[in-house]
Amino acid sequence: MNSSQMIKMDDAPLSKFHIKMAALTFGAHFTDGYVLGIIGIAFTLIKPQMNLDPLWTGLIGSSALIGLFLGSLILGYISDFIGRQKIFVFSFILITLASFLQFFADTPAQLLLLRILIGIGMGGDYSVGHTMLAEFSPKKHRGVLLGSFSVIWTFGYVASTLIGTYLLSIGPDAWRYMLASSAIPAVVILLLRMGTPESPRWLINKGRIDEARNIVKKYLGPNIVLDDETPVKKTQGSFAQLFSKDMRKRTVFNCLFFVCLVIPYFAIYTFLPAILESMGLSENFGTDLLLNGLLVVGALLGIWCTIKYSRRGFLISSFIILAVTLFLLTVLPEGATTLMILVFAIFTLIMSAVSNLVGVFPAESFPTEVRSSGVGLATSFSRFGSAIGTFLLPIGIDSFGIHPTMLALTGVLVVGTLVSIAWAPETKNLSLSEASDMQKTA
């Protein structure tokens, strides 16, 4: 075959294998949305049956997020040493087993431990799943594939609500079936992930060039070749490297923009009915039904924006719109119901749309040797922030009122705007093999 017929991985056409890898990654996000959604309905039965006090309720409610924080940090770091594929499979072994064992939990401590383990598995998958998908995907389609996960997450969350509501009729032990049901999508994904190949980019960095070539030919086609066969010189993935002089800016950017988006997202939409009531919109607005529908529409809109616009421009303009609309919701008088509904709708659409970028920027920002560590650190930082924000929001509303609390969240979005203007790189047409030079053009 002539060299002119050879195509680099980054320029390869979209194939069935790319779609399979995307489906396996999306399946993980469906499971994540399902796990985080089902606990809310299950709590209506668990709390009286286990006599949970507010402390245990809070601990169990945040347990999966605690696990996500740990899993993203630890398993993402480990995968840069032992390989992506091992963690890609291990994470769902852990999720499947811990999900099933929830059926047999008899104490709050047992349930807490199992949900932390589920979160650890999901955290590891966030860092490694995005990394695997990014390292296999051609750059033309990478943004769409990485950014589409928020749509699937929403479907998982909605599915948990429907199934949980249906299972309530079983009786007081229905919570066991609800929580254990997350093992069903998890085991399907686990079985499909068996036999998936290692990332060629990771193999190159370990000097295993022949293995990388064979994987590319087998799964992507005989005319597809590696972008770059030069390993990074004696470099091991490490958190120290993420904060080295040439990489610290992109590391801090990915952590901060991510957390500045998820703090208001999780805080507002976790307690949406209470917020709408505080703002005098609960009777006039279709409560969270309408806004949840707008979240789905916004997620689809985000895919289109990721294709059409630059990453940097999309992020900065979204942060500005979010900060302005949330500020308006804070200062508008309660009588301006129609205007408040319109502003909240815009806020919801843009927040959901730009959330696509949390799956794109981290995976595209870091070089191969620390990509999982970088994605894991950004994800971990975001989950820690979302847990803190979700915990503090009801306290803030109770202590200071809805308007000062929303103003504080507006401040978070302003910080995100400034960070993005100062440090957001443009990664839309960047080859992953060029990521190590990105700080020169950021």
Side-chain angles (χ1 to χ4, degrees):
M1 186 172 290
N2 297 329
S3 59
S4 61
Q5 296 175 290
M6 296 297 182
I7 303 172
K8 290 184 176 182
M9 274 183 69
D10 254 331
D11 299 316
L14 197 65
S15 67
K16 290 182 180 179
F17 176 76
H18 292 129
I19 300 300
K20 177 184 177 180
M21 291 300 296
L24 293 178
T25 306
F26 293 164
H29 291 297
F30 179 93
T31 306
D32 181 27
Y34 190 94
V35 166
L36 294 178
I38 199 73
I39 188 65
I41 300 174
F43 258 142
T44 61
L45 301 174
I46 296 172
K47 287 172 69 175
Q49 193 173 119
M50 289 191 176
N51 296 314
L52 298 181
D53 59 22
L55 175 62
W56 273 110
T57 301
L59 285 173
I60 294 173
S62 61
S63 55
L65 286 172
I66 294 170
L68 257 160
F69 169 76
L70 296 172
S72 299
L73 206 61
I74 297 169
L75 294 183
Y77 174 77
I78 291 173
S79 77
D80 281 327
F81 289 94
I82 70 171
R84 319 292 195 218
Q85 196 271 343
K86 293 180 178 66
I87 301 299
F88 197 58
V89 174
F90 170 77
S91 62
F92 263 83
I93 294 175
L94 189 59
I95 293 169
T96 301
L97 290 176
S99 293
F100 176 71
L101 289 174
Q102 288 179 109
F103 185 89
F104 304 98
D106 291 320
T107 67
Q110 290 174 355
L111 194 55
L112 174 68
L113 176 61
L114 289 171
R115 291 193 66 78
I116 288 176
L117 290 175
I118 292 172
I120 289 173
M122 291 192 301
D125 190 80
Y126 260 81
S127 55
V128 176
H130 281 193
T131 299
M132 287 275 283
L133 184 57
E135 292 181 346
F136 273 110
S137 299
K139 63 184 177 183
K140 180 179 178 182
H141 304 285
R142 189 183 301 130
V144 174
L145 294 176
L146 290 172
S148 300
F149 81 89
S150 62
V151 182
I152 309 302
W153 189 96
T154 304
F155 287 157
Y157 191 90
V158 171
S160 73
T161 302
L162 297 175
I163 293 173
T165 303
Y166 174 77
L167 291 175
L168 278 173
S169 61
I170 293 177
D173 278 337
W175 66 267
R176 298 182 183 274
Y177 295 93
M178 292 180 198
L179 298 185
S181 66
S182 60
I184 297 174
V187 74
V188 171
I189 296 164
L190 172 61
L191 293 174
L192 291 174
R193 285 188 175 189
M194 296 293 186
T196 50
E198 182 55 85
S199 164
R201 299 183 193 276
W202 182 85
L203 290 170
I204 290 170
N205 200 50
K206 297 302 178 182
R208 295 157 61 177
I209 311 299
D210 288 339
E211 291 179 61
R213 289 173 181 162
N214 291 336
I215 286 174
V216 169
K217 284 183 170 55
K218 179 178 179 181
Y219 291 95
L220 300 181
N223 64 325
I224 308 299
V225 297
L226 299 167
D227 299 307
D228 187 356
E229 297 186 357
T230 306
V232 177
K233 284 187 178 180
K234 297 181 180 178
T235 302
Q236 294 282 4
S238 69
F239 289 120
Q241 187 181 348
L242 290 174
F243 291 95
S244 63
K245 183 178 180 181
D246 63 344
M247 209 175 295
R248 66 174 68 124
K249 185 168 74 174
R250 80 186 80 168
T251 300
V252 173
F253 160 72
N254 277 284
C255 289
L256 289 182
F257 105 83
F258 204 156
V259 79
C260 286
L261 279 178
V262 299
I263 284 178
Y265 188 111
F266 277 94
I268 289 173
Y269 295 102
T270 298
F271 300 102
L272 185 60
I275 289 174
L276 292 174
E277 184 176 357
S278 299
M279 297 174 69
L281 295 176
S282 56
E283 294 182 1
N284 307 83
F285 206 22
T287 62
D288 52 351
L289 178 63
L290 175 59
L291 286 185
N292 278 319
L294 289 173
L295 284 173
V296 175
V297 174
L300 295 171
L301 175 66
I303 296 174
W304 180 79
C305 290
T306 302
I307 297 171
K308 186 170 180 62
Y309 301 113
S310 71
R311 309 274 197 262
R312 177 179 165 85
F314 180 24
L315 182 66
I316 293 172
S317 59
S318 295
F319 261 125
I320 292 171
I321 295 171
L322 290 172
V324 170
T325 51
L326 193 56
F327 178 74
L328 288 175
L329 287 172
T330 304
V331 300
L332 282 172
E334 289 188 8
T337 303
T338 302
L339 184 56
M340 290 180 74
I341 291 174
L342 176 61
V343 172
F344 214 147
I346 295 171
F347 176 86
T348 300
L349 282 171
I350 300 302
M351 175 60 80
S352 183
V354 74
S355 293
N356 282 264
L357 291 181
V358 304
V360 178
F361 259 122
E364 291 185 337
S365 293
F366 297 102
T368 301
E369 70 272 17
V370 289
R371 184 165 293 120
S372 277
S373 294
V375 173
L377 180 65
T379 303
S380 183
F381 196 78
S382 75
R383 288 304 178 261
F384 179 77
S386 63
I388 295 296
T390 303
F391 174 71
L392 290 178
L393 185 98
I395 297 174
I397 292 175
D398 184 62
S399 301
F400 305 106
I402 182 67
H403 295 297
T405 304
M406 298 289 270
L407 195 60
L409 292 177
T410 302
V412 173
L413 292 169
V414 170
V415 172
T417 304
L418 296 176
V419 167
S420 299
I421 291 172
W423 292 333
E426 182 49 67
T427 63
K428 185 172 186 177
N429 296 310
L430 185 73
S431 167
L432 292 188
S433 61
E434 299 168 343
S436 60
D437 297 322
M438 194 178 64
Q439 73 274 13
K440 299 176 182 178
T441 58

